[in-house]
Amino acid sequence: MSSIVIPSLQPHLRFPSSQETPQRSRSRVGFVSIRPIYATDGVSSSSSSSLQVPQRIVSPPEPTKLPLRKVPGDYGPPMFGALKDRHDYFYNQGREEYLKSRMLRYESTVYRTNMPPGPFITSDSRVVVLLDGKSFPVLFDHSKVEKKDLFTGTYMPVTELTGGYRVLSYIDPSEPDHAKLKQLIFFLLKHRRDKIMPEFHSTFSELFETLEKDLAAAGRAEYNASGEQAAFNFLARSLFGADPVDSKLGRDAPKLIAKWVLFQLGPVLSLGLPKVVEELLLRTVRLPPALIKADYRRLYDFFYKSSEAVFEEADRLGISREEACHNLLFTTCFNSFGGMKIFFPNMIKWIGRAGVNLHTRLAREIRTAVKANGGKITMGAMEQMPLMKSVVYEALRIEPPVPVQYGRAKKDLVVESHDAAFEIKEGEVICGYQPFATRDPKIFDRADELVPDRFTGEGEELLKHVIWSNGPETQSPSVQNKQCAGKDFIVFISRLLVVELFLRYDSFDIEASNTPLGAAVTVSAAVTVTSLKKASF
């Protein structure tokens, strides 16, 4: 197995922080321009004053002569319209057919409808839906939209589920707490960055060994449960220097997190239960937070005991250690672990289905680059893998891990689709469904297919339309926007997974189906590995 160089005395791995907007350097492979994950020679101050930078604002579209059209669609009778639409969304049609059927009915990618959960979890389920790649970016323009309390949709989970605090994901950049809490998350992502590569290698090597043993014993190996355990172990070991297996958490974290997330997202989840049961259990009243108080406390205690270095930064930023811990838990368990739980099996699914030809190309590219860098996985080696990088971006494009984004119009504004312009009034809630935007056939050729080389060469220009992170891939997170603080972290570890996979195996076969949990929020693949062909060249 190839060894790993830890980038500690060499250039440090940097994940975007609010201290600066780095100059985007570009590596060259022949005439192919590759956008890297950055490296820097030093660690800058963690003080709040050093973390302020001018933010590059997403510019509004240039004025056009598109016809101004009234937003089509309606909400139906009060309450009953929302209930009918909820039944269509969950039971009669399913999410994508629900959205697509109305798009065809109104002959528009912008229209009015209701989005769940509706009565009685929320009093107002009315939204303006955006379903194309041109209109969607208005949700990133914080001069036009507000994200306060809209992270999960038209409702917000009770704060008892997060220690009584509104955590960062629900706070708009205009609110005073946003900057300091996001600065804290940036610090979390960078203060142990030299541990990320070795801990990923160690943890996922354990995962591959488990899959190999299961495959040898049963002829099949279920990825998801083992993958979720590996994901949490990696995050805990790399970011907090703590091994959950050696703590009171043991191996319970993934199931504790799943229960906790259910209490937050239950109103917009489908569990595959009979309609009457789901309506009564999930969408009539909220699940009582007291039922998972003890489970949440186990997670909280683990993070509290493992976060001393981050707490020292919280002290400097004026954040109480209690509030900091609830935010660290949410960021790690809901955002980072949740992203890995959803995206990793989905990416494996798409690469697995692509077949031996792509696998061979990836293996050859990855092994050649690693060999040219002394047989070690380094940042420089990974920059010499344009196909690998493109495949990761393509997986993020075709099946973004968080498909729905919300915002509330701060003022009257005009939103443009490819065909028309639409007036949206101040206070109206806007809902963008990312998979339709990132599979927009007017932007992407063969939009519903995984095209491995899509983002190589001139195709790199299309990265501005890859918007999985609540912002375009060509923009960096900052304290002044709502783009995912861990955007480049998730991209980087996704690349690491592909690199580790094809250093170890020539090819693999999988079976995949959609898991019932999350069918109404995001599509998560249940992946079964049916063969692993070990590296032969």
Side-chain angles (χ1 to χ4, degrees):
M1 181 63 195
S2 300
S3 57
I4 295 175
V5 62
I6 302 173
S8 54
L9 300 179
Q10 296 181 348
H12 289 279
L13 172 65
R14 173 188 294 171
F15 301 107
S17 74
S18 54
Q19 68 190 45
E20 62 177 330
T21 302
Q23 294 296 316
R24 294 203 178 265
S25 59
R26 293 182 183 266
S27 304
R28 293 279 177 178
V29 181
F31 295 100
V32 179
S33 178
I34 305 299
R35 175 179 170 269
I37 297 225
Y38 313 109
T40 180
D41 291 325
V43 183
S44 56
S45 167
S46 60
S47 68
S48 59
S49 61
S50 70
L51 293 170
Q52 302 296 325
V53 310
Q55 169 61 21
R56 186 176 66 191
I57 302 298
V58 179
S59 299
E62 294 296 321
T64 69
K65 296 182 179 179
L66 290 172
L68 188 63
R69 181 182 176 190
K70 180 181 177 181
V71 180
D74 64 75
Y75 304 113
M79 191 173 76
F80 293 103
L83 287 172
K84 178 187 180 301
D85 285 347
R86 185 168 83 197
H87 280 251
D88 284 346
Y89 185 95
F90 285 110
Y91 315 113
N92 300 333
Q93 294 178 298
R95 179 182 59 194
E96 293 216 352
E97 182 58 31
Y98 173 85
L99 295 169
K100 183 178 179 181
S101 66
R102 285 151 179 77
M103 178 177 70
L104 295 175
R105 181 192 308 169
Y106 303 127
E107 299 182 336
S108 175
T109 55
V110 179
Y111 60 82
R112 299 183 184 279
T113 192
N114 295 289
M115 287 291 280
F120 297 94
I121 302 296
T122 180
S123 60
D124 192 351
S125 58
R126 299 173 298 174
V127 301
V128 176
V129 170
L130 311 179
L131 298 181
D132 65 86
K134 187 176 180 183
S135 63
F136 195 102
V138 74
L139 289 164
F140 311 144
D141 188 339
H142 299 292
S143 69
K144 296 180 179 179
V145 299
E146 179 186 74
K147 297 295 187 80
K148 182 178 180 179
D149 298 340
L150 290 171
F151 178 62
T152 49
T154 58
Y155 78 106
M156 178 182 168
V158 294
T159 56
E160 287 88 340
L161 293 166
T162 49
Y165 292 94
R166 288 173 64 236
V167 292
L168 177 61
S169 293
Y170 295 95
I171 298 175
D172 187 73
S174 64
E175 298 180 74
D177 287 344
H178 182 272
K180 62 183 182 180
L181 287 172
K182 199 161 187 180
Q183 287 167 5
L184 184 69
I185 302 309
F186 287 139
F187 179 84
L188 168 69
L189 290 169
K190 71 183 180 182
H191 86 288
R192 282 176 53 87
R193 59 195 175 278
D194 60 333
K195 303 296 184 183
I196 289 169
M197 293 177 75
E199 291 292 356
F200 192 93
H201 171 72
S202 174
T203 304
F204 279 80
S205 291
E206 294 172 10
L207 170 63
F208 294 142
E209 289 166 6
T210 298
L211 294 177
E212 288 173 14
K213 290 177 183 177
D214 291 346
L215 193 59
R220 303 166 63 83
E222 305 296 333
Y223 172 86
N224 293 67
S226 297
E228 289 169 22
Q229 187 67 61
F232 186 82
N233 289 350
F234 160 70
L235 292 168
R237 293 168 182 172
S238 62
L239 299 179
F240 297 92
D243 193 335
V245 177
D246 296 331
S247 74
K248 291 182 179 179
L249 267 185
R251 298 184 179 277
D252 292 341
K255 68 179 183 182
L256 296 178
I257 296 169
K259 289 169 63 177
W260 173 62
V261 169
L262 172 62
F263 275 64
Q264 296 176 76
L265 297 183
V268 290
L269 284 178
S270 176
L271 303 182
L273 300 173
K275 177 166 59 174
V276 174
V277 176
E278 284 205 349
E279 285 294 296
L280 292 175
L281 179 64
L282 300 178
R283 285 178 268 283
T284 302
V285 295
R286 296 176 188 263
L287 295 170
L291 294 180
I292 58 161
K293 185 176 181 180
D295 291 340
Y296 183 77
R297 188 71 198 190
R298 289 181 65 191
L299 292 168
Y300 179 88
D301 288 346
F302 174 79
F303 285 99
Y304 199 92
K305 292 175 181 177
S306 309
S307 302
E308 182 60 33
V310 191
F311 287 160
E312 290 175 3
E313 178 68 8
D315 293 340
R316 287 191 286 270
L317 291 168
I319 305 169
S320 74
R321 293 191 169 202
E322 182 181 5
E323 182 175 9
C325 191
H326 289 295
N327 275 275
L328 294 174
L329 191 162
F330 191 93
T331 294
T332 306
C333 296
F334 195 106
N335 299 135
S336 300
F337 172 79
M340 294 173 73
K341 173 179 177 173
I342 294 166
F343 182 63
F344 276 19
N346 283 350
M347 182 171 66
I348 291 170
K349 174 190 69 178
W350 284 103
I351 295 174
R353 287 176 174 173
V356 174
N357 180 56
L358 175 60
H359 299 175
T360 303
R361 293 177 63 203
L362 284 168
R364 184 175 293 115
E365 176 187 80
I366 289 165
R367 295 172 197 176
T368 299
V370 170
K371 183 178 180 180
N373 285 266
K376 303 177 187 298
I377 302 173
T378 65
M379 296 292 291
M382 293 177 70
E383 288 308 315
Q384 296 167 22
M385 304 175 188
L387 176 63
M388 177 277 292
K389 294 163 68 175
S390 179
V391 166
V392 171
Y393 284 135
E394 181 70 339
L396 285 165
R397 176 198 72 83
I398 201 165
E399 201 161 17
V402 180
V404 187
Q405 298 289 345
Y406 287 85
R408 188 182 302 275
K410 288 183 174 180
K411 57 186 178 182
D412 292 351
L413 54 90
V414 174
V415 172
E416 295 181 348
S417 69
H418 295 293
D419 306 311
F422 302 88
E423 289 184 328
I424 297 176
K425 298 297 184 182
E426 178 182 353
E428 289 193 286
V429 174
I430 304 168
C431 168
Y433 185 61
Q434 284 184 141
F436 281 14
T438 56
R439 300 198 303 257
D440 186 337
K442 294 188 176 181
I443 294 174
F444 295 104
D445 183 42
R446 296 159 60 195
D448 293 326
E449 300 177 32
L450 183 103
V451 179
D453 300 284
R454 190 185 297 278
F455 299 108
T456 61
E458 294 182 358
E460 192 183 13
E461 295 300 317
L462 289 170
L463 285 174
K464 63 188 176 184
H465 300 294
V466 178
I467 53 176
W468 68 274
S469 62
N470 200 12
E473 190 59 36
T474 49
Q475 179 175 302
S476 293
S478 84
V479 297
Q480 295 151 324
N481 65 28
K482 284 299 288 181
Q483 190 164 26
C484 174
K487 162 184 167 272
D488 280 14
F489 174 75
I490 292 296
V491 171
F492 181 69
I493 62 175
S494 299
R495 292 176 179 177
L496 276 179
L497 179 60
V498 178
V499 170
E500 294 280 3
L501 187 62
F502 286 102
L503 283 176
R504 193 176 185 108
Y505 307 108
D506 286 347
S507 186
F508 64 95
D509 293 310
I510 55 98
E511 296 174 356
S513 60
N514 294 337
T515 59
L517 246 181
V521 177
T522 189
V523 178
S524 178
V527 171
T528 300
V529 179
T530 56
S531 75
L532 291 168
K533 182 181 179 182
K534 290 195 174 182
S536 62
F537 63 90

